[in-house]
Amino acid sequence: MRTLVVSDIHSNIEALNAVFADAEEHEPVERVLCLGDIVGYGPAPMACLEALWERHAVSIQGNHDAAVAGIIGLDDFNFYAAEASRWTAQQLSSDAIQYLADLPQELVDDSFLLVHGSPKGPLWDYLISYGQAVEAWERTDSSDVLVGHTHFQFAVEAGRGVEHPGPNGLAMPLGHARLVINPGSVGQPRDSDPRAAYAIYDDDARMVYLHRVWYDISATQRAMADVGLPEALISRLSSGQ
Ligand code: ZN
């Protein structure tokens, strides 16, 4: 069974649709897991939620989801993120707000613990280094950990270190050593690669694959300008930073 793992969609429906199309191009995707930050920053929060609901995606809560739902305040957000968060809340139905509010902050799925930030700080902690991966493994009984939040796509294997995908992605075997996987951000990559990022978890092959796909960045940027979202958030999509 192939499971699509997405994170940090950030209301970017162009990027999310490109990911769905790419992931399903050769083989069907049976399940969708989302590691949070469905909304915030981008122009199409409702469309992204509806696309996930349509596929019966299972999601955890990110800090932007929690902020839009009013569970946390905007004090820890920078000016542009807070601006976008207030705009996003106005675009959502009450059902959508309730859905975001009810999302769990942690979930166990097969060998994986799913958490937006890290087991130490589910909403806010940034997991980026090998040392932080070791700390994550120490805090969970699950063998492997799926995280988002940093908008950097990478894998960490116990005993080996942090691995970054090459031009054709990265394939990681499951069950050899403990893993931390970040599928990267669908809607606002920050690892200098503007393509939408995602992962496929194949439990028959016992592999996790990290992928990238181009999407119509300018269409998202036009939609953001049309609704008056901050220019700084629009321009960063071109560089993936
Ligand atoms: Zn995010």
Side-chain angles (χ1 to χ4, degrees):
M1 182 170 67
R2 291 169 84 241
T3 300
L4 170 63
V5 185
V6 292
S7 189
D8 299 277
I9 298 163
H10 285 297
S11 304
N12 189 338
I13 191 66
E14 298 285 342
L16 183 58
N17 283 335
V19 163
F20 283 139
D22 197 52
E24 292 170 335
E25 193 183 353
H26 301 296
E27 282 178 86
V29 160
E30 274 92 12
R31 294 191 317 149
V32 180
L33 296 178
C34 174
L35 306 177
D37 280 6
I38 301 166
V39 300
Y41 294 131
M46 210 54 229
C48 289
L49 281 163
E50 283 164 354
L52 291 179
W53 294 341
E54 202 176 296
R55 286 169 174 80
H56 307 287
V58 171
S59 186
I60 54 171
Q61 188 178 62
N63 53 314
H64 286 257
D65 307 318
V68 167
I71 288 172
I72 58 171
L74 293 172
D75 296 351
D76 291 322
F77 281 70
N78 70 42
F79 176 78
Y80 300 121
E83 188 94 342
S85 188
R86 278 187 286 267
W87 178 84
T88 301
Q90 292 165 6
Q91 312 308 312
L92 297 181
S93 67
S94 51
D95 282 355
I97 298 272
Q98 194 59 51
Y99 171 81
L100 294 175
D102 290 343
L103 290 174
Q105 292 184 1
E106 287 191 0
L107 212 70
V108 172
D109 185 277
D110 198 359
S111 71
F112 294 103
L113 172 73
L114 280 61
V115 62
H116 183 64
S118 81
K120 183 172 143 194
L123 285 190
W124 284 107
D125 193 41
Y126 287 94
L127 194 167
I128 201 83
S129 69
Y130 186 74
Q132 290 164 323
V134 171
E135 201 180 334
W137 291 318
E138 284 167 357
R139 285 174 183 263
T140 177
D141 294 330
S142 296
S143 138
D144 307 304
V145 183
L146 286 168
V147 299
H149 192 44
T150 60
H151 300 206
F152 276 63
Q153 188 184 49
F154 62 87
V156 190
E157 188 179 296
R160 291 194 61 179
V162 182
E163 305 214 23
H164 296 281
N168 297 318
L170 181 68
M172 299 295 293
L174 271 167
H176 291 191
R178 298 182 85 179
L179 299 176
V180 170
I181 302 277
N182 189 324
S185 170
V186 170
Q188 196 203 73
R190 293 177 192 161
D191 48 8
S192 302
D193 183 343
R195 295 176 298 168
Y198 68 96
I200 293 284
Y201 155 47
D202 187 328
D203 62 359
D204 298 318
R206 302 299 294 158
M207 295 290 289
V208 179
Y209 304 97
L210 299 182
H211 293 292
R212 297 302 270 246
V213 62
W214 283 110
Y215 72 98
D216 191 344
I217 295 173
S218 59
T220 295
Q221 291 173 317
R222 278 195 303 275
M224 291 173 80
D226 285 349
V227 297
L229 284 163
E231 172 56 33
L233 298 179
I234 297 174
S235 56
R236 72 186 302 177
L237 295 180
S238 301
S239 56
Q241 279 174 349

